[in-house]
Amino acid sequence: MPEDELSRSSPSNAGKSLVNGIKTNPASSSPKSSLSVPMGPPVYVDLAYIPNHCSGKNTDPEFFKRVRASYYVVSGNDAANGEPSRAVLDALLEGKSQWGENLQVTLIPTHDTEVTREWYQQTHEKQQELNIMVLASSSTVVMQDESFPACKIEF
């Protein structure tokens, strides 16, 4: 049994489940419902991978309000499963608009998809207003004196 399933089924977690690694009550099992986690200061990181291949299942504006990255990687390439999700890309705009500071953000899609192309074209003005740059999926990233294709980012 995978470790995350073990932690969900252990007696110490009886009556609770995990949503994005956060314990919740059964009544709030939906990732979109309010979690019992108090609001804290946002976390600033250089690079963040948008969870679940940019699927709308568990990423919303709250993620982008709390996790503020210079670079977000969008890896979804499965239109049948809603990856990447237009709602998640819109959530980036909504979350970033509430930062209160105009830090540069770069979005790195690892695949050229219809969803990302349409979103880019339809929201380009808003992206510019929010200081968001979207790299082409064939873009090159330079980190620590090393250059490589954006789709090769690994953790």
Side-chain angles (χ1 to χ4, degrees), residues 16-151:
K16 297 195 181 254
S17 63
L18 294 176
V19 176
N20 290 337
I22 300 169
K23 290 181 185 178
T24 62
N25 293 325
S28 64
S29 61
S30 167
K32 304 287 186 203
S33 66
S34 64
L35 299 175
S36 60
V37 176
M39 287 298 292
V43 176
Y44 290 85
V45 295
D46 291 331
L47 180 73
Y49 192 91
I50 299 178
N52 203 26
H53 304 287
C54 197
S55 165
K57 294 175 185 166
N58 54 4
T59 305
D60 60 11
E62 192 63 33
F63 172 80
F64 296 104
K65 289 177 198 173
R66 289 181 174 217
V67 180
R68 300 181 181 186
S70 297
Y71 299 89
Y72 289 103
V73 177
V74 177
S75 69
N77 189 27
D78 186 357
N81 284 319
E83 300 167 1
S85 165
R86 169 68 188 250
V88 172
L89 297 171
D90 288 339
L92 167 63
L93 298 175
E94 183 182 334
K96 172 80 166 66
S97 70
Q98 297 181 31
W99 285 12
E101 50 199 333
N102 200 16
L103 300 173
Q104 170 74 46
V105 167
T106 302
L107 193 65
I108 306 171
T110 60
H111 300 283
D112 182 22
T113 66
E114 185 74 24
V115 170
T116 54
R117 273 185 270 130
E118 284 181 6
W119 176 81
Y120 176 80
Q121 292 170 351
Q122 294 170 359
T123 65
H124 187 68
E125 191 173 302
K126 183 72 170 175
Q127 294 166 40
Q128 288 181 318
E129 176 186 312
L130 293 172
N131 203 16
I132 297 173
M133 179 175 63
V134 180
L135 298 180
S137 61
S138 60
S139 295
T140 300
V141 174
V142 178
M143 297 176 86
Q144 298 179 348
D145 300 326
E146 189 176 347
S147 177
F148 48 88
C151 64

